[in-house]
Amino acid sequence: MLAAAVRAAEAMAPTRPHPGVETAAKNAVVGPVAALIDRISDAVRKAMGKDS
């Protein structure tokens, strides 16, 4: 059960740090949006062959 919870948290978390989002409240608001943007950016970079 714990492993499933960790996988779910990783799936919703941003893939890179975002300065200014250190508090739990800011993370709850900005985190999901930042994660979506990060994952789209990662997919575009991979599609363009710029995966580093």
Side-chain angles (χ1 to χ4, degrees):
M1 190 165 71
L2 181 58
V6 170
R7 282 191 295 272
E10 286 176 341
M12 294 179 56
T15 59
R16 55 185 134 283
H18 294 274
V21 189
E22 288 82 17
T23 65
K26 287 182 183 178
N27 252 336
V29 173
V30 178
V33 175
L36 177 64
I37 293 169
D38 286 353
R39 295 198 192 298
I40 291 170
S41 175
D42 292 346
V44 169
R45 285 178 183 266
K46 186 175 181 180
M48 294 179 67
K50 296 182 181 180
D51 193 23
S52 51

